[in-house]
Amino acid sequence: MAQKAKDKKMLNIKKLFHSRQTIRGKLLFWLLIISLVPMAVIGFVSYNYSSSSLQHQSFEQLETTLAFQYQALQRYFDDQAKKLENIASNMEVFQEEAYTKLSAIRALQKKQIQDYFKIRFEDVKIFGQNPQQQQAFSQLLQNADTEPNSEFVEFLDEWLMNRDFASLTMLNQDGEVVYSTDKNVPRGATVHEGTSEWEAMQKGMLETRFIDYRPSSFHELKNVAYFSTPLFSADQPPSLLLFRLQDHALDSIMKEVPGLGETGETYLVGMDGMFRSNSRHFDEPTIANPSFLVDTESIVYALAGEDGETSVVNYRGDSVLSAYTAVSIYGVTWVLMVEINQAEAVIPKLEDGKTDLLSQLAQTYTFSDLYLVAPDGYIFASAKRHKDYLTNILTGPYADSMFNKAVQEVLETQKMAISDYAFYEPAGGQAEAFMAIPVMNDDAMSMIVALQISIDPINDIMKIRQDFEKESGQAEMEGHVEMIHVDTYLVGSDKLWRSEAFNPEKYQAKSTLLNPKVKADTKAVQQALAGKSDTQVIVNSLGEKALTSWSPVRYKGLQWALISEVAQKEVDRPVMQLLRIVGLLAFLAAIAVIFISLRVAGGVTKQVDEIMQGIAMVEKGEYGQQVKITSKDELGQMAGSFNQMTTTIHDLIESRQQEHDELQDSIIRLLEEITELADGDLSIRATVTEDVIGTLADSLNLMLEELGTAFVRIKQSAEQVGSTANILSASTGELAGQNNNQANMINEAVQEINQLTKAIREAADQANQSASFSRESSQVAGEGAKAVRETSQAMEAIRGNVQNTARSIKRLGESSQEISDFARTINEISDRTSILALNASIQAAAAGEEGRGFAVVAEEIQRLAERAAVSTRQIETLIKNILGEITEAGISMDSSIQEVVQGTQLSQNALSRLDEITERSNEVFELIQGVASASQQQADTTAILATSMGEIGSISLETAEEAMGASVSMQEMAVMGDDMLQAVATFKLESDKKDPDNDVLEADPFDA
Amino acid sequence: MRDKKKKSLKGQAKTVALSLDAEQIKGRDPVLLFTASQIDEVLADAEVHPLPFAANHLVGLCAWREQVLPIIDLVAFFDLIPSQKDKNERYVVVRTVDSTLLDTNKDNKEKQNTNKVVLRCVLKVSNQIISGDIPTECTAVFPKQAGFAPVFLKGLFQGEKKLFLLPDLATIIHSDVQGSTT
């Protein structure tokens, strides 16, 4: 039993969830809904609100961090730029000072050189004019074999040595050596053309001259310079004295110049690019040495007469500051160059003598390195002197580095430039960026100052994110500190990182800096590189959703993206915990609701079941059953009311049964009385009782009374109708006779009208005949017009044909003209052929015997051309004749056309006249037509009149016949009234019972 | 190999006679006579580019085989009377050889060097151009008698109906005066 009860309960519970028709099920369902839905809504709203608030707060803090880092980056780069500008301006100042010094030295040296040569010039001049020297040399001239005495030779040697002359050579006017202090110059040796001796002879025979360095006639492969002076004597032809300048003559002036430091020097250069002095940097003499050539631009400027200062790469390949000027020496122009190495000029040594300014600046400002670069790309100074020192950054081994790019940009724009970070080998493969600025000298760039920037300051700036984490990233839960990790980083335009990540392992790399495996190509990076700033939830480079704030970082040439992001799941962690708590509470609430609803539903449904059972019994008809009352609530009250209802129904049924029996007896009695009534006895009356049937009997009795009264009235009326019918029959007989007379009179009238109609028809026929004659005349006029029209059309056709003929003739003329043009072309061709033949014959004649055959051909061609010309002339004549005749034909055609036009005009006039005749005929025809139709109408009208009269006659006859018929009907009506009286007499009335001998009275015919 | 014998061309030289569009001189039609080798081409059509401020006999310039040649009207040069007949003119390219001296110092005979230069010009003539043998039946005439400056003619011959002029083109080209004596 218990098991069964348990199973039953289980079944009920199952039903509860399967079927919603039970109260229990509905109650359970709606209670669950009412309790759980609000909880879900509250939970959902709370989640969204808290999630968005948290997100909003995170965004704000991300943006703040981003802004701070952006400012820090800007400040850093501005700071570096300012330092660089300061250094550059210092370099500029040093450079200016160096140029000033060089200019002063240049002026001083120029004066010294000019003074020196002036003195030598005077010495030579005086020597040549000295009578003793003249006499001594004259003797040599007279006798070629004579040797000068030893005293004279000694004197000469000393004189020459004191004046920096290497030798003295005497030439006669023929260019032969008469005497020379140089043993390598033999007597009798002749001067060669193009040598310095030869030039001396060309220029120096009249006055003292200075001869620039040239190849020598007497010293093979050597360039020499002379002072030359003529030697005149009374009895001898003039001769020439050549004083050769010592190679080291100017050393004392050029080599020892204070203030030029270790690398500075001064030197002279001739127009041929060769030295005119010895260099302090070479032991080998550079003077007039073709192995040492100077071809810098400053030589050209100086020879053009300009004095100037510039930075150049000198003959040794060094970047130097140079001051140049031209020095004129008795018609010879040399260039004086004063130079010092650029590095030595702008980078002074410090007091210790070991460290230079560049190194100190690099140390002070913690630059990775500090460079000075020449405009051609040569790194001539470096603080750290790594592998790139003294290389060319534009063409050297590091030409593909960012340093090169920065230097190139400075060269192009002449403004400060910055390059992006890249690994730089001279810096040990570290990531370095470069910032460079030009140093100008009079609108020309003299050098570039560049500094090398390490990545460390950038990483330091990016570490600002840790502060953010400390401020807002912590969330304590059950004693654990949850850190929200924010990544802030820089990305370059190549999508590579420009900073180190907080946790590179997250990106599966040891380092994120410039690592191609850790490319950041997200929406944030793309937008930031495009110049946009925003804060959104996007997918980051790890593929997870992240709250990201980004902004571009632009500094001169740098184009970076600054990204700050935090993973969404980390931000949402507290919200998720809240969601879990809410979920647990909702679950517990659901269980409680189910339990309570089951309990409540159970109590409600028991009473309802009892009531349902009671209703089932009532359906079967058992009204005596009472329902068990199990509760005292509304359902219990409902059960009590149900019991009362069933008791009342039972009593009511019994009383009704009794009333039914009584009623049935009354009905039987009434039926018996109605049977008697059906037999015709209208005097019978039904028994009236107190029930419903009594009412029915009473009504029946009333009906019988009314019916008796009606039958009496009918009887009286029938009698009246019989008498009236007899009187009417007599009257209608008389009416019929009068109608016949009327009909005879109408017939006579109709005959008269018919005769009138006939006369009118004859008049209409005559009018029709007139109309037909008129129509015929109109037709004839129309045919005449038609004939004239056809004539006009024929003439038009003739005119058209004539015009076509004229056109054909014109075309013929044009064709003839074309033929004439062709003939002209043929004529030209024959003309040209003739010329060709003429040329051919001329050429054949010039060729002589070999051209004879060709001459024959040419003659033949010429004959053919002449024949063609003759034929074309005949054709032209014929065509002219044809054209003349065509013109005449055209003229006659035109006159024919004119006559045709006139004929057409006349026929048009005749046509218009005929049209008028036709029109008038038509009008006459219409008038006659109108008269005929009017006559016809008159005839028709009289015919109709006759017909109408005939109908009137026939109607009168009909009327008479009908009157006769009515009389007959009246007689029949009288017969019917008699029949009705007989029919009524069969019913027995109550009045008959009272007076049985009462006869039927005659009705008054005027009674209504 | 046997050498080919060169036949003598003596007496077989061909000439070209170019008639001038001018009235008769001494009852004869003026005709220019050249050897066949002097005629380069008879032009079918020539594009004449007039020269402003040029002499009357210089009609203009024309382009011929990548050269620019002067066009000379010898009727105007010799101041002849132009013909009244219908003019059918032709242009003929004629060449001549001009000898020039390198050394302008003509006294220094030992060191004179001569160089021959080919000159060309275009002559404006009538369309009567006849190529044939040398007209042998004619007599020489002194140029001045016919009204020509001798320096401009290498020869002047009169035939039965024609007066043959042999012009010195080099002199005519270099000249800046007219060639008639009147």
Side-chain angles (χ1 to χ4, degrees):
Chain A
M1 279 295 280
Q3 185 60 35
K4 278 187 183 175
K6 194 178 174 185
D7 290 340
K8 193 177 174 184
K9 200 174 179 183
M10 285 301 294
L11 197 64
N12 287 338
I13 290 170
K14 278 181 188 173
K15 268 191 188 172
L16 202 63
F17 290 99
H18 285 298
S19 168
R20 288 184 185 168
Q21 290 176 355
T22 61
I23 294 173
R24 187 177 291 179
K26 284 183 187 175
L27 206 61
L28 181 67
F29 176 73
W30 285 108
L31 280 174
L32 276 174
I33 294 292
I34 288 165
S35 61
L36 292 180
V37 165
M39 285 183 71
V41 167
I42 290 165
F44 179 73
V45 168
S46 306
Y47 168 75
N48 279 343
Y49 183 74
S50 54
S51 177
S52 66
S53 297
L54 204 62
Q55 196 167 303
H56 183 70
Q57 193 181 2
S58 301
F59 278 147
E60 280 182 358
Q61 287 176 338
L62 281 175
E63 283 170 1
T64 307
T65 307
L66 206 72
F68 192 80
Q69 285 178 332
Y70 178 82
Q71 293 293 330
L73 281 169
Q74 289 285 345
R75 270 200 304 276
Y76 171 73
F77 284 119
D78 286 340
D79 193 34
Q80 300 302 306
K82 272 190 192 146
K83 288 174 190 170
L84 192 61
E85 281 169 1
N86 286 338
I87 295 168
S89 62
N90 286 338
M91 295 298 150
E92 202 170 330
V93 167
F94 292 140
Q95 188 174 262
E96 282 300 316
E97 286 177 2
Y99 278 132
T100 307
K101 193 196 303 184
L102 289 175
S103 300
I105 295 171
R106 176 185 63 196
L108 178 65
Q109 284 229 313
K110 183 175 178 179
K111 181 87 174 42
Q112 285 177 333
I113 292 164
Q114 283 174 333
D115 289 344
Y116 176 84
F117 275 92
K118 191 175 175 186
I119 294 167
R120 294 286 88 82
F121 185 84
E122 292 300 324
D123 287 342
V124 165
K125 190 175 176 183
I126 291 167
F127 185 93
Q129 290 171 349
N130 189 311
Q132 288 175 347
Q133 269 76 278
Q134 285 177 355
Q135 187 181 2
F137 284 113
S138 293
Q139 287 173 359
L140 290 171
L141 267 177
Q142 280 175 0
N143 192 354
D145 296 328
T146 310
E147 290 288 335
N149 61 41
S150 57
E151 285 179 6
F152 185 62
V153 169
E154 204 176 311
F155 161 73
L156 280 179
D157 289 340
E158 191 182 345
W159 190 95
L160 290 171
M161 192 178 69
N162 289 338
R163 288 159 181 79
D164 292 331
F165 288 122
S167 66
L168 166 64
T169 303
M170 181 180 175
L171 300 175
N172 62 14
Q173 63 175 359
D174 295 326
E176 294 171 346
V177 175
V178 175
Y179 170 73
S180 177
T181 59
D182 189 347
K183 301 295 182 232
N184 295 323
V185 181
R187 276 190 179 183
T190 51
V191 167
H192 303 311
E193 198 174 326
T195 58
S196 52
E197 293 84 3
W198 187 83
E199 188 167 334
M201 285 207 60
Q202 303 297 318
K203 293 180 182 175
M205 293 301 286
L206 296 175
E207 56 183 0
T208 304
R209 297 293 293 265
F210 174 69
I211 308 301
D212 199 359
Y213 283 88
R214 272 187 176 61
S216 171
S217 302
F218 310 127
H219 304 280
E220 199 174 335
L221 300 176
K222 193 170 169 52
N223 292 310
V224 296
Y226 291 106
F227 277 99
S228 71
T229 189
L231 198 65
F232 300 105
S233 62
D235 54 349
Q236 294 289 333
S239 56
L240 193 66
L241 291 176
L242 298 175
F243 296 84
R244 184 160 75 88
L245 206 59
Q246 290 270 21
D247 288 346
H248 57 76
L250 296 172
D251 282 0
S252 58
I253 298 172
M254 306 304 295
K255 277 193 174 180
E256 294 162 18
V257 183
L260 287 181
E262 292 176 8
T263 60
E265 66 169 338
T266 64
Y267 54 92
L268 288 163
V269 181
M271 290 177 72
D272 53 7
M274 285 196 290
F275 275 81
R276 295 295 188 266
S277 62
N278 289 315
S279 169
R280 64 181 282 209
H281 296 296
F282 295 97
D283 294 330
E284 182 187 349
T286 55
I287 189 167
N289 188 342
S291 303
F292 295 91
L293 286 176
V294 182
D295 58 353
T296 53
E297 280 180 8
S298 37
I299 301 292
V300 177
Y301 297 140
L303 289 173
E306 290 180 16
D307 286 359
E309 301 83 34
T310 185
S311 61
V312 293
V313 175
N314 68 0
Y315 68 97
R316 289 183 291 132
D318 295 333
S319 291
V320 297
L321 299 180
S322 169
Y324 54 86
T325 185
V327 180
S328 284
I329 306 165
Y330 297 104
V332 173
T333 304
W334 289 348
V335 175
L336 173 62
M337 306 289 289
V338 183
E339 293 174 352
I340 184 169
N341 263 19
Q342 204 165 9
E344 189 179 348
V346 299
I347 308 173
K349 288 270 189 231
L350 298 179
E351 286 176 0
D352 61 1
K354 292 178 187 173
T355 322
D356 59 40
L357 179 64
L358 213 64
S359 306
Q360 193 198 34
L361 287 170
Q363 196 176 1
T364 305
Y365 293 127
T366 60
F367 296 143
S368 295
D369 204 343
L370 184 60
Y371 302 92
L372 295 180
V373 183
D376 65 349
Y378 185 69
I379 302 173
F380 63 86
S382 166
K384 298 287 172 68
R385 298 196 178 181
H386 289 147
K387 281 194 264 183
D388 52 1
Y389 176 55
L390 298 179
T391 64
N392 192 311
I393 196 60
L394 295 177
T395 59
Y398 308 110
D400 56 349
S401 65
M402 285 297 178
F403 193 178
N404 169 297
K405 284 201 175 135
V407 166
Q408 279 203 350
E409 194 176 329
V410 168
L411 289 170
E412 281 166 25
T413 61
Q414 304 213 342
K415 289 182 185 173
M416 186 187 289
I418 182 169
S419 72
D420 205 339
Y421 280 91
F423 296 117
Y424 189 56
E425 197 207 324
Q430 297 295 318
E432 305 285 341
F434 294 88
M435 201 182 260
I437 190 170
V439 176
M440 307 301 287
N441 173 36
D442 290 337
D443 298 330
M445 195 185 303
S446 60
M447 65 177 148
I448 297 168
V449 182
L451 67 89
Q452 189 178 321
I453 308 170
S454 161
I455 195 66
D456 295 333
I458 305 296
N459 283 333
D460 291 338
I461 292 170
M462 291 295 116
K463 280 178 188 170
I464 293 171
R465 62 173 176 264
Q466 292 179 352
D467 296 332
F468 170 78
E469 289 168 6
K470 284 176 193 169
E471 282 177 16
S472 62
Q474 290 186 358
E476 290 190 4
M477 282 187 66
E478 299 178 357
H480 297 284
V481 174
E482 295 285 342
M483 296 293 291
I484 294 178
H485 297 296
V486 175
D487 275 330
T488 54
Y489 52 94
L490 286 163
V491 180
S493 54
D494 54 2
K495 310 288 171 56
L496 297 178
W497 286 54
R498 295 293 190 272
S499 60
E500 266 316 332
F502 175 73
N503 183 12
E505 288 169 359
K506 198 165 67 169
Y507 299 92
Q508 289 160 1
K510 286 183 186 172
S511 167
T512 54
L513 177 65
L514 295 169
N515 189 346
K517 290 181 185 172
V518 187
K519 250 194 173 177
D521 192 7
T522 60
K523 178 185 171 184
V525 169
Q526 288 163 9
Q527 293 223 339
L529 289 173
K532 296 176 190 169
S533 300
D534 204 350
T535 307
Q536 284 181 22
V537 177
I538 60 162
V539 176
N540 65 5
S541 55
L542 291 172
E544 54 188 28
K545 276 194 177 176
L547 275 64
T548 310
S549 182
W550 63 85
S551 80
V553 174
R554 302 240 167 117
Y555 191 85
K556 295 198 189 302
L558 284 179
Q559 207 170 341
W560 290 346
L562 179 59
I563 311 292
S564 181
E565 65 183 22
V566 60
Q568 175 104 56
K569 61 183 177 189
E570 291 202 18
V571 173
D572 290 342
R573 198 181 301 146
V575 176
M576 294 308 295
Q577 283 176 354
L578 175 67
L579 204 62
R580 276 195 285 274
I581 292 167
V582 168
L584 184 66
L585 288 174
F587 179 70
L588 292 173
I591 291 172
V593 162
I594 290 169
F595 179 73
I596 291 166
S597 65
L598 281 172
R599 290 278 299 177
V600 169
V604 166
T605 53
K606 190 175 178 185
Q607 182 65 75
V608 171
D609 288 337
E610 291 293 332
I611 292 170
M612 289 294 292
Q613 283 175 8
I615 290 171
M617 297 302 285
V618 167
E619 280 177 0
K620 289 177 186 172
E622 295 173 21
Y623 296 96
Q625 295 293 326
Q626 295 289 299
V627 174
K628 191 178 174 186
I629 298 173
T630 59
S631 64
K632 292 181 183 174
D633 56 13
E634 287 84 351
L635 288 172
Q637 290 172 8
M638 191 170 85
S641 300
F642 180 79
N643 289 336
Q644 278 181 0
M645 182 186 75
T646 52
T647 305
T648 305
I649 289 170
H650 181 69
D651 294 339
L652 197 63
I653 288 170
E654 283 183 354
S655 66
R656 288 287 177 264
Q657 188 64 43
Q658 192 181 351
E659 285 176 5
H660 176 261
D661 292 338
E662 290 174 0
L663 194 63
Q664 196 152 2
D665 293 337
S666 300
I667 288 170
I668 291 168
R669 193 169 40 251
L670 182 63
L671 282 172
E672 288 171 357
E673 288 168 352
I674 288 170
T675 304
E676 287 179 17
L677 186 64
D679 289 338
D681 188 1
L682 294 178
S683 62
I684 297 290
R685 294 286 180 270
T687 311
V688 178
T689 56
E690 292 176 353
D691 53 20
V692 174
I693 300 299
T695 312
L696 202 66
D698 189 30
S699 299
L700 181 67
N701 289 337
L702 190 62
M703 185 193 76
L704 287 172
E705 284 175 9
E706 293 293 331
L707 199 63
T709 310
F711 268 109
V712 167
R713 281 192 178 175
I714 288 169
K715 203 174 180 179
Q716 289 171 356
S717 297
E719 288 171 354
Q720 281 181 359
V721 164
S723 65
T724 306
N726 287 329
I727 295 166
L728 282 173
S729 174
S731 299
T732 52
E734 287 179 16
L735 185 62
Q738 285 173 4
N739 279 338
N740 279 330
N741 292 336
Q742 187 182 355
N744 292 330
M745 287 168 70
I746 286 169
N747 282 334
E748 287 174 6
V750 166
Q751 282 173 8
E752 291 295 324
I753 287 167
N754 285 336
Q755 283 177 0
L756 179 63
T757 302
K758 191 177 172 184
I760 291 168
R761 280 200 198 284
E762 285 176 2
D765 288 339
Q766 285 172 1
N768 279 334
Q769 274 184 2
S770 303
S772 68
F773 288 143
S774 170
R775 196 183 316 117
E776 282 175 9
S777 69
S778 174
Q779 278 177 359
V780 168
E783 284 171 9
K786 186 179 169 186
V788 171
R789 204 174 289 116
E790 285 173 2
T791 307
S792 175
Q793 284 172 0
M795 293 185 76
E796 279 293 323
I798 292 168
R799 190 178 76 164
N801 288 335
V802 170
Q803 278 179 338
N804 288 338
T805 308
R807 270 188 230 112
S808 301
I809 290 170
K810 204 179 279 183
R811 279 199 292 275
L812 189 63
E814 287 166 5
S815 301
S816 301
Q817 193 65 38
E818 284 179 20
I819 295 170
S820 176
D821 292 339
F822 288 136
R824 204 173 300 119
T825 305
I826 295 167
N827 203 17
E828 282 176 13
I829 292 168
S830 70
D831 194 33
R832 286 197 177 227
T833 310
S834 174
I835 291 170
L836 183 66
L838 189 60
N839 281 324
S841 66
I842 290 168
Q843 295 302 324
E849 196 63 33
E850 284 81 10
R852 191 189 282 181
F854 188 59
V856 169
V857 172
E859 279 176 26
E860 189 60 35
I861 291 169
Q862 188 147 13
R863 272 200 284 278
L864 285 169
E866 283 170 9
R867 279 175 63 187
V870 165
S871 299
T872 48
R873 276 197 289 278
Q874 287 174 351
I875 291 168
E876 278 184 355
T877 310
L878 277 170
I879 287 166
K880 271 186 198 157
N881 294 335
I882 290 168
L883 280 172
E885 286 172 10
I886 286 169
T887 309
E888 286 179 13
I891 292 166
S892 67
M893 280 287 165
D894 286 337
S895 67
S896 301
I897 288 168
Q898 287 299 320
E899 286 172 10
V900 166
V901 167
Q902 282 178 7
T904 307
Q905 198 69 33
L906 289 171
S907 64
Q908 289 287 345
N909 290 338
L911 184 66
S912 64
R913 290 286 175 272
L914 283 169
D915 284 336
E916 279 183 29
I917 293 168
T918 305
E919 205 177 319
R920 293 284 180 269
S921 299
N922 284 337
E923 286 173 7
V924 167
F925 168 75
E926 281 168 10
L927 284 171
I928 296 170
Q929 189 87 19
V931 167
S933 65
S935 302
Q936 188 66 41
Q937 278 177 6
Q938 257 184 335
D940 291 338
T941 305
T942 50
I944 291 167
L945 186 62
T947 307
S948 300
M949 293 297 286
E951 285 175 1
I952 291 169
S954 60
I955 288 169
S956 297
L957 278 172
E958 286 177 5
T959 306
E961 287 173 2
E962 284 174 6
M964 192 56 75
S967 173
V968 169
S969 297
M970 287 298 125
Q971 286 175 1
E972 288 174 1
M973 194 187 299
V975 169
M976 283 169 67
D978 290 337
D979 290 338
M980 197 185 298
L981 279 171
Q982 286 174 6
V984 169
T986 57
F987 285 95
K988 196 188 283 182
L989 301 171
E990 197 172 20
S991 60
D992 291 342
K993 272 186 183 175
K994 289 177 184 175
D995 190 1
D997 296 325
N998 199 3
D999 292 331
V1000 176
L1001 298 172
E1002 285 186 6
D1004 187 14
F1006 296 104
D1007 259 346
Chain B
M1 190 188 274
R2 283 164 59 178
D3 291 332
K4 250 187 167 177
K5 263 195 184 173
K6 282 189 182 175
K7 286 191 180 175
S8 171
L9 295 175
K10 196 174 178 183
Q12 294 183 358
K14 292 288 183 185
T15 60
V16 177
L18 309 173
S19 297
L20 290 175
D21 260 330
E23 293 293 333
Q24 288 185 340
I25 302 169
K26 294 171 79 68
R28 290 168 177 80
D29 296 325
V31 174
L32 300 174
L33 195 65
F34 295 99
T35 61
S37 58
Q38 279 186 286
I39 305 297
D40 272 331
E41 188 179 338
V42 178
L43 299 177
D45 47 5
E47 196 176 341
V48 178
H49 300 278
L51 281 178
F53 307 112
N56 286 344
H57 64 274
L58 193 61
V59 178
L61 300 174
C62 84
W64 179 79
R65 298 186 193 176
E66 295 180 5
Q67 298 176 52
V68 176
L69 304 178
I71 304 174
I72 299 172
D73 182 5
L74 290 179
V75 172
F77 183 77
F78 290 121
D79 201 20
L80 302 177
I81 300 167
S83 168
Q84 299 301 318
K85 295 176 201 169
D86 289 339
K87 293 187 181 176
N88 291 316
E89 50 198 31
R90 288 264 187 265
Y91 295 91
V92 181
V93 179
V94 181
R95 68 168 180 261
T96 184
V97 174
D98 184 22
S99 298
T100 59
L101 293 174
L102 273 181
D103 191 348
T104 53
N105 186 3
K106 293 183 184 175
D107 292 332
N108 193 359
K109 288 182 185 178
E110 285 182 4
K111 292 195 176 176
Q112 266 183 6
N113 290 322
T114 57
N115 192 17
K116 291 186 180 176
V117 178
V118 173
L119 292 180
R120 282 190 174 85
C121 69
V122 178
L123 296 180
K124 181 180 166 187
V125 296
S126 76
N127 60 351
Q128 298 292 319
I129 299 172
I130 300 168
S131 172
D133 294 326
I134 296 173
T136 51
E137 294 178 359
C138 50
T139 55
V141 178
F142 188 55
K144 273 195 178 178
Q145 284 181 345
F148 294 102
V151 68
F152 297 118
L153 290 177
K154 289 181 181 175
L156 186 65
F157 302 90
Q158 64 180 19
E160 190 180 333
K161 291 181 182 177
K162 295 184 181 176
L163 185 66
F164 295 104
L165 287 73
L166 277 66
D168 185 351
L169 286 179
T171 312
I172 290 170
I173 288 168
H174 289 307
S175 165
D176 51 2
V177 296
Q178 276 191 309
S180 72
T181 55
T182 55

